[in-house]
C-alpha cells in the first residue's frame, strides 16, 4: 500500500482576469502521509481555499500534478475525477452545506446513494459515521434547523466520513462557531483521526492549527514554512 494519501508536485494555479494574470498558487509541493492530521494556515488571500479546491479535485491546477493514493489525477477525464472525488475525498465546509429539507439521515446518506448502496446498509453506515463524529442516533429524523451549529457540523463530519474516504478536507470548519463549540468540533476531528482518518484542516485560527500534528504555512500562494504545533495551545 502506498503510504502517501496525497501528493502535490509543483502545483501552480493561474487565474486570467481580462488581460491580467493572477497566480493564486506558486509551485506548491506537499505530501500527506496516510493517517496524518495537518493544518494549512495563512491569512485571507494567501491561497488556502484555492489549494483545498485543487486537493479536493474541485479545480485543476494550471501546471503541476495531484496524486491520490499514487494515482496521477491529471490524466483522468472529468467523469473519472468526479468518481475519485466521491470515493476518496470527504469534505467539511464552514457553512455545513446541509440540505434543509432533508433529515440528518438523508443528508449523511447522500454520498452512499451516489454509490448505489442498498438502503439497509446505508442506514447502518450512517449510524456508525454519526456516532464516530460525536453525534447521536436520536438526531437521525431531525432536520438541520433543529440542531445547533456544533451539532450540524458533526452531521457534516459524519457525511464526510460515511464513505470511508482516503482523506477528509475541512475548510474553516469552526469559522461559524463559538470557542467552546469549536473546541468540541476539533475534538471530533482528533477522535476520527485516531480511528485512522487522514485529515487536512484549512484555518486562520492558531488555536485550531495547534490541535493538529503539523502546520503548513501558506502566504502569497506558496508554502513558506512548516512547524510543529504548540499542543498546550490547542482549543480542544
Amino acid at each position: 500500500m502506498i503510504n502517501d494519501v496525497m501528493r502535490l508536485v509543483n502545483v501552480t494555479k493561474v487565474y486570467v482576469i481580462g488581460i491580467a494574470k493572477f497566480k493564486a498558487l506558486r509551485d506548491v509541493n506537499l505530501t500527506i502521509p496516510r493517517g496524518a492530521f495537518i493544518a494549512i494556515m495563512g491569512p485571507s488571500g494567501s491561497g488556502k481555499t484555492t489549494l483545498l479546491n485543487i486537493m479536493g479535485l474541485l479545480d485543476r491546477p494550471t501546471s503541476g500534478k495531484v496524486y491520490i493514493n499514487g494515482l496521477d489525477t491529471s490524466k483522468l477525464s472529468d467523469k473519472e475525477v468526479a468518481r475519485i472525488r466521491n470515493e476518496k475525498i470527504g469534505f467539511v465546509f464552514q457553512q455545513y452545506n446541509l440540505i434543509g429539507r432533508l433529515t440528518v439521515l438523508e443528508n449523511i446518506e447522500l454520498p452512499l446513494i451516489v454509490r448505489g448502496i442498498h438502503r439497509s446498509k446505508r442506514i447502518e453506515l450512517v449510524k456508525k459515521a454519526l456516532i464516530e463524529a460525536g453525534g447521536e442516533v436520536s438526531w437521525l429524523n431531525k432536520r438541520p434547523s433543529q440542531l445547533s451549529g456544533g451539532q450540524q457540523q458533526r452531521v457534516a463530519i459524519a457525511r464526510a466520513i460515511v464513505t470511508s474516504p482516503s482523506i477528509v478536507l475541512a475548510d474553516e470548519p469552526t469559522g461559524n462557531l463559538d470557542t467552546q463549540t469549536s473546541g468540541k468540533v476539533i475534538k471530533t476531528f482528533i477522535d476520527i483521526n485516531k480511528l485512522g482518518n487522514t485529515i487536512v484542516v484549512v484555518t486562520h485560527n492558531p488555536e485550531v492549527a495547534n490541535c493538529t500534528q503539523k502546520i503548513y504555512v501558506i502566504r502569497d500562494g506558496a508554502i513558506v514554512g512548516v512547524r510543529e504545533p504548540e499542543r498546550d495551545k490547542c482549543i480542544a
Side-chain angles (χ1 to χ4, degrees), residues 135-205:
E136 299 176 8
V137 174
S138 61
W139 301 352
L140 287 174
N141 292 319
K142 293 184 177 181
R143 284 181 165 69
S145 61
Q146 296 175 285
L147 303 177
S148 69
Q151 290 171 338
Q152 289 185 59
Q153 194 60 293
R154 290 190 190 93
V155 171
I157 294 170
R159 182 182 57 192
I161 66 173
V162 73
T163 58
S164 299
S166 296
I167 190 167
V168 175
L169 304 177
D171 189 4
E172 298 283 5
T174 62
N176 285 339
L177 305 174
D178 60 50
T179 301
Q180 183 178 10
T181 306
S182 294
K184 292 178 179 178
V185 167
I186 293 303
K187 176 65 164 57
T188 297
F189 280 112
I190 292 170
D191 290 343
I192 65 172
N193 174 246
K194 289 177 180 176
L195 294 173
N197 292 279
T198 305
I199 304 168
V200 176
V201 173
V202 164
T203 183
H204 67 276
N205 187 342

Side-chain angles (χ1 to χ4, degrees), residues 7-13 23 25-31 51 54 61-67 221:
R7 187 160 57 95
L8 277 64
V9 180
N10 299 327
V11 166
T12 293
K13 182 65 179 180
K23 190 174 282 190
L25 294 177
R26 305 166 184 266
D27 292 318
V28 172
N29 290 280
L30 181 62
T31 298
L51 179 58
I54 286 176
T62 303
S63 61
K65 294 187 176 183
V66 178
Y67 294 86

Side-chain angles (χ1 to χ4, degrees), residues 204-219:
H204 67 276
N205 187 342
E207 290 184 311
V208 170
N210 280 322
C211 297
T212 66
Q213 297 163 353
K214 197 172 291 291
I215 302 169
Y216 291 82
V217 181
I218 186 170
R219 186 175 294 117

